[in-house]
Amino acid sequence: MLKDFNDGVRISEPKVEDSSSEKLGLGNGEVFADGGGTRHYAPIAEYEGSHRYDPEIQWSEKEEKKLVRKLDYKICSWVCLMFFALQLDRGNIQQALSDNMLDDLGFNTNQYNYGMTIFYLCFLSAELPSQMISKKLGPDVWIPIQMVSWSIIASCQSRLTGESTFYATRALLGLIEGGFIPDVVLYLSYFYKSKELPIRLSFFWSAYISTNIISAFLAYGILHLRQLTGWAGWRWLFALEGGLTAFIGLLSWFYLPPSPTETASWFRGKDGWFSEREEKIMVNRVLRDDPGKGDMHNRQGLTLSLLWQALTDYDLWPVYIYGLTWSIPATPVSAYLTINLKSLGFNTFQTNLLTVPAYVLFLLQLIFWTWVSEKINNRFLIVMLAQIYMLPLVLSLELLPLSSSPWSWYAPSVMLIGYPYIHAIVIALMSRNAGSVRTRTVASAIYNMCVQASNIISSNIYRDDDKPYYRRGNKVLLGLVAWNIVFCIGMKVYYMWRNKQKGKAWDAMTREEKNQYLTTTKEVGNKRSDFRFAH
């Protein structure tokens, strides 16, 4: 079967010609409704792939699948490696805790919480500025700069002396690492169609959880250095893993191409990775899926007016609000797993190895449920199922008798940490519903700011005076699960209602009126009558 301009993002109709002898409709899509002439969806001249734009080009399904596999190998796999580097430096503090880091520094649980709160505050405050810089310089330039910078700070944690140095390094790490995730989401959107993005993002977060598994084994070996050298194992952990991520960051500077049509370099080869035909297929399949991606080029920054328009896009606010709460029920248990396992009587090395089953379960559920959400074309159903999954597990942690065995506490904790992680589903949904590059750029940052804000909330639910069973904290988590379920249903209803509104207005127009609307409208992105929200 051949792919032409009638196999993209619009609901299909028979091909007919308008008064300008122009093809109408792009067919079978989810982003825009059918009915407008193709000239209204052409990219701007400055778009980096405009020289490969061709509304007449056709390709086979076999060609496209082969090309997507090549993109996975060339682009997605390297993005996963970069996320490995992020999580290695961001998450190794949990392994450090198992090596008596808090006791070595004279800290209590609350001081650790304050440090993590500072980290998340700085992380979220850097999201939007980082995304603005990335849009101006290009993710291929900005992301490697971020990686090398944060790896230096991560290594400096090996020289922590007390509260002030702990808080300072946490703040700097947050400021530099903040923005990495939305920067990568923006970068991947240059290469993949909207329906392909969720599963690629699930690979992205699979790298995150795989890092936790790998780092647990790395920690098992590195933390033994305390016994050999006398220098605390957690100090070796920060120093060695920071050096590894610096190396990955340097390689990324040379490896990342700016776009599908700009892969030639001395490092990547003078002819680049793709043939002219492959470049044409990449550009046109992405634009046919979502023509809004051709509104800006990849080195074009946002003006203040464009920033304001994106910030005031009320149709994305429900997703932002949900970002504040959906992950909280599992986060405190995950953050305190190593501390709680130590308090239950497991030693340092048993503790690190006992985290592995939780991360394996997390990985399997992440990929499976992300795939299911696109297969059944129902994202919010899976998002709600994740909350229903967590409900009995949080309840069991709240109701378990104090006399229960350590393994009785361990089992629900592991299952809770391994819950269906729906971040890839939600962020891909938000990216798709943004409707334009400018809105997508800002929305990715704002959504991730909300998720980081949820981590700040999570960091202060389990308190020192509530340990080791955190009964008060678990009651709070139960309330949040109930809120998440109700709000998820509300979001589904809202986007269905908005599509019904838009469909009524669009379907009432004749074909000529639709073309006139597309020619004269001042509405952009998801405010256009031909736009349809995914849900």
Side-chain angles (χ1 to χ4, degrees), residues 265-284:
S265 75
W266 69 267
F267 189 83
R268 295 184 294 268
K270 64 182 180 65
D271 296 324
W273 292 341
F274 306 106
S275 67
E276 180 178 332
R277 176 166 176 79
E278 287 176 325
E279 289 184 358
K280 283 187 174 182
I281 294 173
M282 283 190 290
V283 167
N284 287 279

Side-chain angles (χ1 to χ4, degrees), residues 86-110:
L86 172 74
Q87 187 56 28
L88 194 65
D89 284 340
R90 187 172 65 164
N92 56 11
I93 193 169
Q94 293 188 34
Q95 280 86 33
L97 294 177
S98 70
D99 192 48
N100 299 316
M101 173 184 160
L102 296 186
D103 291 339
D104 288 349
L105 295 173
F107 288 178
N108 60 31
T109 302
N110 288 348

Side-chain angles (χ1 to χ4, degrees), residues 25 98 115 316 483 489 499 507:
S98 70
L316 296 178
W483 156 261
I489 295 172
N499 281 349
D507 294 340

Side-chain angles (χ1 to χ4, degrees), residues 184-227:
V184 167
V185 173
L186 176 65
Y187 184 68
L188 287 175
S189 71
Y190 295 161
F191 297 89
Y192 290 102
K193 291 161 55 173
S194 55
K195 286 200 72 171
E196 294 166 348
L197 196 55
I199 194 66
R200 270 73 198 178
L201 291 177
S202 75
F203 297 157
F204 184 50
W205 273 283
S206 295
Y208 148 71
I209 205 63
S210 298
T211 306
N212 291 333
I213 297 171
I214 294 169
S215 64
F217 288 105
L218 286 175
Y220 181 83
I222 293 172
L223 295 180
H224 276 92
L225 291 174
R226 178 193 284 262
Q227 301 168 1

Side-chain angles (χ1 to χ4, degrees), residues 113 165 232 296 525:
N113 285 345
T165 52
M296 301 179 76

Side-chain angles (χ1 to χ4, degrees), residues 5-7 9-16 23-38 41 503 506-507 509-511 514-515 518 529-532:
F5 217 96
N6 291 307
D7 186 25
V9 297
R10 295 167 179 77
I11 303 167
S12 61
E13 291 183 3
K15 287 199 290 182
V16 298
K23 286 184 182 177
L24 292 174
L26 304 180
N28 295 334
E30 298 187 14
V31 180
F32 289 92
D34 187 29
T38 59
Y41 302 103
W506 184 253
D507 294 340
M509 299 181 195
T510 64
R511 182 156 289 149
K514 289 174 181 177
N515 273 324
L518 294 173
S529 294
D530 58 336
F531 183 87
R532 297 294 179 267

Side-chain angles (χ1 to χ4, degrees), residues 56-356:
E56 303 295 334
I57 189 175
Q58 300 179 8
W59 60 86
S60 68
E61 187 174 348
K62 182 179 180 181
E63 275 186 289
E64 185 171 13
K65 285 183 177 180
K66 182 179 179 181
L67 184 56
V68 171
R69 286 196 297 270
K70 191 172 181 179
L71 285 172
D72 289 340
Y73 172 70
K74 294 287 189 179
I75 300 297
C76 190
S77 62
W78 193 269
V79 166
C80 290
L81 178 64
M82 293 191 300
F83 201 21
F84 167 84
L86 172 74
Q87 187 56 28
L88 194 65
D89 284 340
R90 187 172 65 164
N92 56 11
I93 193 169
Q94 293 188 34
Q95 280 86 33
L97 294 177
S98 70
D99 192 48
N100 299 316
M101 173 184 160
L102 296 186
D103 291 339
D104 288 349
L105 295 173
F107 288 178
N108 60 31
T109 302
N110 288 348
Q111 288 170 303
Y112 170 70
N113 285 345
Y114 297 146
M116 296 309 293
T117 300
I118 290 170
F119 170 81
Y120 289 123
L121 276 172
C122 292
F123 197 100
L124 72 87
S125 66
E127 296 275 3
L128 191 53
S130 178
Q131 187 80 148
M132 300 289 281
I133 295 171
S134 181
K135 189 67 189 73
K136 182 65 176 177
L137 299 180
D140 57 298
V141 172
W142 178 236
I143 290 174
I145 293 174
Q146 286 176 289
M147 294 177 68
V148 173
S149 300
W150 85 52
S151 66
I152 294 171
I153 303 301
S155 296
C156 289
Q157 291 179 108
S158 64
R159 306 299 297 177
L160 292 178
T161 57
E163 227 176 329
S164 59
T165 52
F166 177 61
Y167 295 156
T169 53
R170 286 285 101 190
L172 288 172
L173 273 179
L175 288 171
I176 299 170
E177 292 179 350
F180 175 84
I181 293 173
D183 292 343
V184 167
V185 173
L186 176 65
Y187 184 68
L188 287 175
S189 71
Y190 295 161
F191 297 89
Y192 290 102
K193 291 161 55 173
S194 55
K195 286 200 72 171
E196 294 166 348
L197 196 55
I199 194 66
R200 270 73 198 178
L201 291 177
S202 75
F203 297 157
F204 184 50
W205 273 283
S206 295
Y208 148 71
I209 205 63
S210 298
T211 306
N212 291 333
I213 297 171
I214 294 169
S215 64
F217 288 105
L218 286 175
Y220 181 83
I222 293 172
L223 295 180
H224 276 92
L225 291 174
R226 178 193 284 262
Q227 301 168 1
L228 298 176
T229 65
W231 207 40
W234 59 267
R235 295 186 186 276
W236 281 109
L237 191 73
F238 287 138
L240 295 176
E241 292 186 349
L244 176 59
T245 57
F247 178 70
I248 296 172
L250 286 171
L251 285 180
S252 298
W253 174 269
F254 301 105
Y255 184 86
L256 295 179
S259 75
T261 61
E262 301 170 287
T263 60
S265 75
W266 69 267
F267 189 83
R268 295 184 294 268
K270 64 182 180 65
D271 296 324
W273 292 341
F274 306 106
S275 67
E276 180 178 332
R277 176 166 176 79
E278 287 176 325
E279 289 184 358
K280 283 187 174 182
I281 294 173
M282 283 190 290
V283 167
N284 287 279
R285 77 186 201 96
V286 166
L287 291 180
R288 292 175 194 183
D289 173 68
D290 184 355
K293 292 180 179 179
D295 288 347
M296 301 179 76
H297 64 78
N298 61 355
R299 294 287 193 271
Q300 183 177 347
L302 295 179
T303 64
L304 289 178
S305 63
L306 292 178
L307 174 61
W308 178 249
Q309 289 175 25
L311 289 172
T312 55
D313 187 349
Y314 56 84
D315 281 315
L316 296 178
W317 290 356
V319 183
Y320 300 156
I321 294 170
Y322 198 62
L324 287 169
T325 60
W326 68 261
S327 66
I328 292 179
T331 303
V333 177
S334 178
Y336 282 85
L337 180 62
T338 53
I339 292 177
N340 290 342
L341 290 176
K342 288 293 291 287
S343 69
L344 289 171
F346 297 105
N347 64 37
T348 296
F349 307 111
Q350 289 173 332
T351 293
N352 279 294
L353 294 179
L354 284 172
T355 64
V356 173

